[in-house]
Amino acid sequence: MTFTPVTLCFLLRDAENGTEVLLGLKRTGFGTGKIVGIGGHVEPGESDAEAVVREVWEEAGVVVLQADLVHAGVVEFNFPARPEWNMSCRLFTTRRWKGEPAESPEITPEWFDVDALPLHRMWQDAEHWLPPALAGETIDVVVVLNGDNETVASIRYPSAPG
């Protein structure tokens, strides 16, 4: 089975009511209309960290340094009805960057309280892995989607004991 390498980076900041995360409304392409993390495909010859630094700049106009990235785990997305959509997604968080997030042709960035994520506007699988990833856990999850390519058929935690 082939999985396209992709990355996501979650910028975190302290706010009056707790921690906030930068997410974005997807304006084009895969996931249009959903609230998503900032990131995208790993280009040939790029490391995951290089790709996420490039993607954050392209999508949100923010400079993130590789040295400031914290590995938050991996989510494998399996689309049995559309295997060409299969992705292996490396997650990063960071609390350091330069610049203010700005809209791009692909993303309209917005800050959200990590305790009140807009899960009803995101891919259905996000509720299973995003809150623990933002809480500092290292994620290792396999998500299998149903034939509608939207709803979750199963969630597996390969590294979980037992």
Side-chain angles (χ1 to χ4, degrees):
M1 199 174 308
T2 304
F3 290 83
T4 301
V6 297
T7 60
L8 290 174
C9 186
F10 299 98
L11 280 64
L12 299 167
R13 71 178 185 186
D14 294 324
E16 284 182 30
N17 296 326
T19 303
E20 293 181 332
V21 61
L22 185 69
L23 302 171
L25 175 65
K26 189 78 161 75
R27 299 178 62 194
T28 62
F30 191 78
T32 297
K34 294 188 185 302
I35 300 290
V36 298
I38 310 297
H41 288 86
V42 178
E43 300 293 339
E46 274 185 324
S47 69
D48 292 344
E50 289 168 337
V52 86
V53 165
R54 175 184 50 77
E55 288 284 352
V56 169
W57 169 249
E58 290 173 0
E59 292 186 356
V62 174
V63 175
V64 172
L65 301 178
Q66 288 184 51
D68 294 327
L69 295 173
V70 176
H71 172 66
V74 175
V75 180
E76 193 172 275
F77 297 99
N78 187 335
F79 290 85
R82 296 290 299 265
E84 67 274 17
W85 288 5
N86 289 351
M87 292 176 273
S88 179
C89 182
R90 176 93 180 269
L91 307 176
F92 296 95
T93 62
T94 187
R95 287 185 168 271
R96 293 175 50 110
W97 62 87
K98 291 187 179 125
E100 285 297 317
E103 185 173 84
S104 69
E106 195 167 348
I107 291 283
T108 302
E110 186 177 343
W111 292 100
F112 293 92
D113 184 329
V114 297
D115 294 325
L117 295 171
L119 295 170
H120 63 286
R121 297 176 59 200
M122 302 179 79
W123 286 95
Q124 189 186 61
D125 58 83
E127 68 183 87
H128 297 280
W129 57 266
L130 184 55
L134 298 180
E137 292 181 32
T138 302
I139 304 305
D140 183 9
V141 176
V142 176
V143 176
V144 179
L145 284 297
N146 285 309
D148 63 4
N149 298 312
E150 289 275 334
T151 57
V152 173
S154 69
I155 301 286
R156 200 165 37 88
Y157 302 89
S159 62

